[in-house]
């Protein structure tokens, strides 16, 4: 609405004053000056009245039938529909906010693509809306929402729907270990159930944070625990949000921890490459040589584990020098993780 008081009161009593909008030029209405040479009125400004007029500073002109003209600046603002957040899981409850709904009591929210009304929100005394709003449940894509008030004001906003995600890093590892997990587009604060999908065996539970992302569920962070009795092989791990009912799946291979030498034999003083995989949950691995040094002390090398693949010596080569006092024959070498697990290998 546009309130037009005139403080100067210098109009001719009884004359007619026309009120004009600048762009597009149109007459908003007219009024009659009172006996004191003043006027005051309120004009409705909505899409039906000012059409394609843009939100900016406009010049409103009063044209008196006998007293000439007077111009005042008026700042046009459009009603707002703001969704917080603007993207996330299907069916999620977001916050619908926005002001400049002056003169309205309610705002109807419609899902444009389906021509479906999904909610009606109340406008507060400040001309604003601020209410929870449940998003449509679609697999993925863009949801366009249109807001229209009971006095014909309107606005629109979009919500990007993403499918929930589950990612295990690395995608393979041994049994009896916590595998780092990530993924967003779940409902905020919901419980996540993990299971071997084909076996229908629940193996762990976790949760999401306020952003709808997988949150830390143990001292190891956000993880999925692979039970100790799980045989080696390929598995499909499914995550299910117990509030949203949303699901996501990913492949995971249960492997044994390994220790390998390349070549598997050598002479004292020679250099050999060492590598191993299946060391998820460990930051490093100690490799103990199967024969002590000349002072009868254990010989140990420390290899750093790559968190992306759970291996050492693969992405970045790791080499050791065969101790000069090593005896001839097969020696049993042992690798021990700094957190859990061991593996052995013979070196000739």
């Amino acid at each position: 609405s546009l309130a037009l008081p005139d403080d100067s009161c210098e109009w001719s009593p009884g004359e007619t004053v026309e009120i004009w909008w600048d762009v597009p030029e149109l007459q908003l209405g007219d009024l009659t000056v009172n006996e004191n040479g003043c006027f005051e009125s309120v004009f409705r400004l909505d899409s039906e009245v000012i059409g394609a007029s843009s939100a900016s500073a406009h010049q409103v002109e009063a044209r008196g039938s006998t007293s000439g003209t007077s111009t005042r600046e008026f700042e046009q603002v459009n009603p707002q529909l703001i969704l917080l957040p603007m993207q996330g899981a299907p069916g999620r409850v977001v916050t619908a906010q926005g002001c400049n709904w002056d003169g309205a009591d309610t705002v109807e929210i419609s899902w444009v693509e389906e021509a479906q009304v999904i909610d009606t929100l109340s406008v507060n005394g400040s001309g604003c809306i601020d209410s929870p709003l449940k998003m449509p449940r679609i697999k993925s894509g863009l949801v366009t929402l249109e807001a229209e008030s009971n006095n014909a004001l309107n606005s629109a906003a979009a919500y990007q729907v993403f499918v929930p995600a589950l990612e295990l890093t690395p995608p393979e590892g041994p049994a009896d270990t916590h595998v780092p997990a990530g993924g967003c587009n779940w409902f905020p604060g919901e419980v996540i159930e993990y299971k071997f999908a084909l076996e229908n065996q629940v193996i762990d539970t976790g949760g999401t944070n306020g952003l709808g992302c997988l949150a830390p569920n143990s001292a190891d962070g956000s993880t999925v625990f692979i039970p100790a009795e799980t045989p080696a092989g390929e598995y499909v791990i499914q995550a299910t949000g117990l509030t949203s009912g949303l699901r996501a799946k990913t492949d995971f291979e249960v492997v044994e921890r390994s220790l390998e030498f390349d070549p598997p034999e050598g002479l004292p003083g020679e250099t050999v490459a060492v590598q191993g995989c299946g060391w998820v949950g460990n930051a490093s691995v100690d490799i103990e040589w199967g024969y002590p040094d000349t002072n009868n002390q254990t010989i140990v090398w420390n290899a750093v584990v790559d968190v992306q693949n759970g291996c050492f010596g693969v992405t970045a080569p790791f080499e050791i020098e065969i101790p000069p006092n090593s005896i001839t024959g097969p020696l049993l070498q042992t690798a021990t993780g700094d957190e859990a697990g061991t593996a052995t290998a013979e070196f000739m």
Side-chain angles (χ1 to χ4, degrees):
S1 60
L2 170 63
L4 287 177
D6 184 65
D7 301 329
S8 63
C9 294
E10 296 179 354
W11 301 89
S12 299
E15 76 170 314
T16 299
V17 177
E18 296 178 350
I19 307 301
W20 286 80
W21 188 258
D22 59 353
V23 180
E25 185 179 29
L26 62 110
Q27 184 178 346
L28 299 179
D30 55 45
L31 45 84
T32 302
V33 178
N34 64 24
E35 60 184 9
N36 298 316
C38 304
F39 64 78
E40 182 174 353
S41 185
V42 175
F43 291 94
R44 179 184 175 190
L45 297 178
D46 57 34
S47 58
E48 295 178 1
V49 175
I50 58 176
S53 179
S54 61
S56 61
H58 289 267
Q59 300 299 316
V60 178
E61 186 178 55
R63 303 175 183 177
S65 57
T66 60
S67 301
T69 63
S70 178
T71 303
R72 292 286 181 89
E73 186 175 276
F74 178 80
E75 185 72 26
Q76 178 190 341
V77 292
N78 288 338
Q80 303 169 317
L81 175 61
I82 302 170
L83 303 177
L84 298 174
M86 298 172 60
Q87 61 184 38
R92 177 177 176 176
V93 176
V94 303
T95 300
Q97 295 179 338
C99 290
N100 305 324
W101 296 97
D102 303 85
D105 299 315
T106 59
V107 174
E108 187 177 82
I109 308 297
S110 300
W111 180 9
V112 174
E113 287 82 1
E114 296 294 325
Q116 173 185 338
V117 176
I118 60 175
D119 208 345
T120 300
L121 311 180
S122 297
V123 179
N124 61 29
S126 301
C128 300
I129 55 174
D130 189 354
S131 302
L133 181 67
K134 187 174 182 179
M135 291 295 97
R137 196 178 184 91
I138 65 173
K139 290 184 177 180
S140 64
L142 194 67
V143 173
T144 306
L145 299 183
E146 183 177 64
E148 183 172 0
S149 68
N150 62 305
N151 62 344
L153 299 174
N154 57 72
S155 184
Y159 178 80
Q160 181 68 53
V161 177
F162 293 103
V163 294
L166 171 64
E167 182 179 3
L168 301 181
T169 306
E172 64 178 28
D176 195 22
T177 193
H178 292 269
V179 183
C184 292
N185 305 318
W186 302 89
F187 277 24
E190 71 173 328
V191 175
I192 303 295
E193 179 185 83
Y194 301 99
K195 69 178 181 179
F196 289 141
L198 301 181
E199 294 77 10
N200 197 29
Q201 175 191 351
V202 176
I203 58 175
D204 203 357
T205 58
T208 61
N209 60 22
L211 299 176
C213 298
L214 299 181
N217 58 349
S218 70
D220 301 285
S222 179
T223 64
V224 176
F225 180 69
I226 307 300
E229 68 277 6
T230 305
E234 296 182 353
Y235 294 84
V236 176
I237 294 182
Q238 175 180 293
T240 302
L242 298 188
T243 300
S244 64
L246 298 172
R247 298 178 180 179
K249 296 179 180 180
T250 190
D251 294 330
F252 186 79
E253 184 176 2
V254 177
V255 299
E256 302 290 340
R257 295 182 178 91
S258 66
L259 172 64
E260 299 177 8
F261 294 88
D262 185 21
E265 57 185 28
L267 298 174
E270 291 183 340
T271 298
V272 296
V274 186
Q275 67 179 38
C277 287
W279 296 95
V280 180
N282 292 281
S284 64
V285 173
D286 285 338
I287 302 165
E288 181 180 339
W289 193 250
Y291 193 77
D293 64 12
T294 55
N295 296 317
N296 203 35
Q297 299 296 311
T298 302
I299 302 172
V300 178
W301 295 270
N302 184 261
V304 176
V305 175
D306 186 339
V307 297
Q308 296 300 314
N309 56 23
C311 301
F312 65 86
V314 175
T315 305
F318 181 76
E319 297 179 333
I320 65 172
E321 183 179 310
I322 301 173
N325 67 317
S326 293
I327 61 173
T328 302
L331 294 174
L332 187 65
Q333 319 300 339
T334 303
T336 304
D338 63 341
E339 292 292 335
T342 61
T344 59
E346 276 195 354
F347 184 84
M348 182 67 69

